[in-house]
Amino acid sequence: MSSLVVQSGRRLRGRLAGEPVGFLALIVVGAYALVACGVWLGWWGSEWSALAGPGWAAPSAEHWLGTNRLGQDILARALAATATAFEIGVLVAVVTTAIGGLAGGLSGYFSDGWPDEVLLWLMGTLDAIPFYLLVAALAFALHGHPWAMHLAMIATFWTTTARLVRAETQRIRRLPFIEAARVAGLLPRSIIVRHILPNTAHILLVQATLVFIAAIKVEVVLSFLGIGTQDSISWGVMIAEGAQDILAGQYGNFVVASLFLFGLVMAFSLFADQLQDSLDPRTQDSRWQPHG
Amino acid sequence: MNKRSALLAFGLRKLAGAVPLILGVTLVSFVLTVHFGPDQTYALLGKNPTAAEIEQVRAQLGYDQPFVLRYADYLKRLATLDLGHAQATGEPVRSMLARTIPVSLLLLAPGFVLGTLLALILAALAAWYRGSLLDRVISGASVVGMSLSFVVILVGLQAVFGVWLGWFPVRGWSVAGVADYLHHVAVPTLAFIVATLGYNTRFFRAVLAAEMTSEQVRSARAFGIGPLRIMTVHVIGNSLLPIVTRILFSLPLLVISGSLLIESHFGIPGVGRITYAAVMSGDQPVLMAVVGLSAVLFVIAVTVADLLCRLIDPRLAST
């Protein structure tokens, strides 16, 4: 048989086999989101910093997952950290997508003009500075301000989104309906915002999910290094504590935080894969940077 | 001759294209580490300084100069490797780098090389048997690997091999001979491989699987050429450009995040640990040198690699 038929058969089977996985992943992500909402509403996890019992207590009816070195409830901390992860992930993903979309649209629409030149130079510059050094330098320049971490992620993550949107915009702007809009006298601003960017929604959506995942993973690395989340609780903070506990033979804190982190990242990755497959099978995986 | 001069012109044009990027990365690192860095004046003064003493130190540090002149001075210092002295120890930054960079290279090179090779082999298997059970296992394991945080892998392996089994040292770096070196490098290498394998395998598999469907590979199969030769010569050979580009682009991120995390956690005296210590204590000369130099080196490396790829593949040279 011709390989084309075999291949499209395989692709179809792959998609059918992939769908339940994507659906299941979405349910898991939804469960995490519910946990985060519960924390915001004060249903659970608000006692994460209370010294609730003896240090390094084994799991019990009172402390389902035991306590850490100081006697703080590990489950409460892991739940509260879920909300922190969503706060960081959503904030970075939304701002990154907005900046990346606008910059990409602008630079793609005016390609071969000065806005494109300037934006390409800016993206090249930001991509050329090693990420963790940029974070370190930003934390240094902002004197350890708690937003240094968010700022560093936003400042670097938008470039990938912008490059993808730029390429798509260059394609779209040659289409007749954009030509028509231009002839009708619409300003470039409204052409980009109203007619081009909505047609890159598939890219923006997939990129936003990938940025969400990257932000959560980077937070863990930075908090582990001590330049991430401050005066709050996160899985990175818990893993940093847990790494010290391990030398004393206590694994609870580390294992719980790692599993919570792994579950969300894994489910969100599978969901992002499914999203990418169904929305835009042409684009290659843009996750070329292992961020953490 | 004509071809060579065209190539030379092309090379020079490429190098000239790197200049704005070098200016960009040095500008950012100057603004962050020098311009907005902590004011060093009072660190250099005794108690109760007079106004004249303050003025003198500020002039000595160049704080009274305009931005452009200070940036130009910073560029000159980077270019001549006049990097000053670390505040914490007073050691020249240049000798600190000379001492720590080899340690980081020794620490990370095995993991980087083995990890890349292993990912290529797994990706080749998955691409060759595309759609099979093997492919699905490899692809699934890649997603799992990508979902594991580097930090979790690092701490987890340390717990298993260092604390629980006690096979390898939990921290430290004393490298007297080859056996010592292997003893200390084992856990960091394993962590590095596990952390990067998923990303690399997935990317390489996508590239190789796309190449597998090319006409050239189909003809080679029709001519009865062996699988190993098809894979290495035709599939990997034709995908060299994306593979090399990816390896190169992942290099600074991996090496720097790897050396920061591994060295600060295992207490290994490499360049990551002095950078980490500099961030924590606000040691500006060290940070300035590390950020500025690595960004410039990266731009140069990318430019040179771009040139080399075009030399290897004449089709690209015309663009």
Side-chain angles (χ1 to χ4, degrees), chain A residues 121 133 217 225 273 285 290 292, chain B residues 20 146 150 199 202 253 276 294:
Chain A
W121 170 79
L133 288 184
K217 292 185 74 183
L225 288 172
D273 278 357
D285 190 10
Chain B
M146 286 164 66
F150 200 159
Y199 287 94
R202 185 178 158 112
L253 198 91
Y276 178 68
S294 52

Side-chain angles (χ1 to χ4, degrees), chain A residues 121, chain B residues 13-26 71 299 303:
Chain A
W121 170 79
Chain B
R13 215 169 49 236
K14 271 278 149 197
L15 289 180
V19 171
L21 271 188
I22 288 182
L23 287 178
V25 295
T26 49
Y71 173 55
V299 173
T303 311

Side-chain angles (χ1 to χ4, degrees), chain A residues 7 121 124-125 128-133 136 140-141 217 224-225 239 246-247 254 258 266 273 285 287-288 290 292, chain B residues 20-21 24 32 36 38 146-147 149-151 155 170 199 202 213 246 249 253 256-257 265 276 279-280 282 294 298:
Chain A
Q7 252 178 51
W121 170 79
T125 296
I129 301 173
F131 174 70
Y132 285 99
L133 288 184
F140 182 75
K217 292 185 74 183
F224 186 74
L225 288 172
I239 290 172
I246 277 177
L247 299 178
F254 172 72
S258 300
M266 176 90 184
D273 278 357
D285 190 10
R287 238 177 306 178
W288 59 277
Chain B
L21 271 188
L32 291 180
F36 282 124
M146 286 164 66
S147 305
S149 170
F150 200 159
V151 172
V155 177
V170 172
Y199 287 94
R202 185 178 158 112
T213 62
R246 181 191 164 86
F249 269 85
L253 198 91
I256 285 158
S257 63
H265 189 58
Y276 178 68
V279 175
M280 286 300 151
S294 52
F298 178 64

Side-chain angles (χ1 to χ4, degrees), chain A residues 3 7 10-11 13 120-121 123-134 136-143 217 220-221 224-227 239-240 242-244 246-249 251 254 258 261-262 265-267 269-270 273 276 284-285 287-292, chain B residues 20-21 23-25 27-28 32-33 36-38 130-131 143-144 146-152 155-156 158-159 163-164 170 199 202-203 206 213 218 246 249-250 252-254 256-257 260-261 264-265 275-276 278-280 282-284 287 290-291 294-295 298-299:
Chain A
S3 70
Q7 252 178 51
R10 273 180 196 160
R11 174 170 291 174
R13 206 168 52 194
L120 279 181
W121 170 79
M123 291 182 223
T125 296
L126 289 172
D127 287 345
I129 301 173
F131 174 70
Y132 285 99
L133 288 184
L134 185 74
L138 258 173
F140 182 75
L142 297 172
H143 308 289
K217 292 185 74 183
V220 170
V221 173
F224 186 74
L225 288 172
I227 50 177
I239 290 172
Q244 301 305 313
I246 277 177
L247 299 178
Y251 299 94
F254 172 72
S258 300
L261 169 70
F262 175 76
V265 172
M266 176 90 184
S269 297
L270 290 172
D273 278 357
Q276 197 156 20
Q284 270 206 356
D285 190 10
R287 238 177 306 178
W288 59 277
Q289 287 183 320
H291 271 293
Chain B
L21 271 188
L23 287 178
V25 295
L27 189 64
V28 172
L32 291 180
T33 61
F36 282 124
R130 188 179 181 172
V143 178
V144 173
M146 286 164 66
S147 305
L148 283 168
S149 170
F150 200 159
V151 172
V152 171
V155 177
Q158 185 195 32
V163 180
W164 191 41
V170 172
Y199 287 94
R202 185 178 158 112
F203 179 85
T213 62
R218 211 179 330 155
R246 181 191 164 86
F249 269 85
S250 65
L253 198 91
L254 287 177
I256 285 158
S257 63
L260 267 176
L261 279 173
S264 63
H265 189 58
T275 310
Y276 178 68
V279 175
M280 286 300 151
D283 203 330
Q284 190 233 340
L287 205 56
V290 173
V291 176
S294 52
F298 178 64
V299 173

Side-chain angles (χ1 to χ4, degrees), chain B residues 119-161:
Chain B
L120 262 180
I121 293 170
L122 288 175
L125 281 173
W128 187 266
Y129 299 107
R130 188 179 181 172
S132 69
L133 182 67
L134 183 70
D135 179 23
R136 269 181 286 164
V137 169
I138 291 175
S139 300
S142 300
V143 178
V144 173
M146 286 164 66
S147 305
L148 283 168
S149 170
F150 200 159
V151 172
V152 171
I153 294 166
L154 201 61
V155 177
L157 289 176
Q158 185 195 32
V160 172
F161 290 106

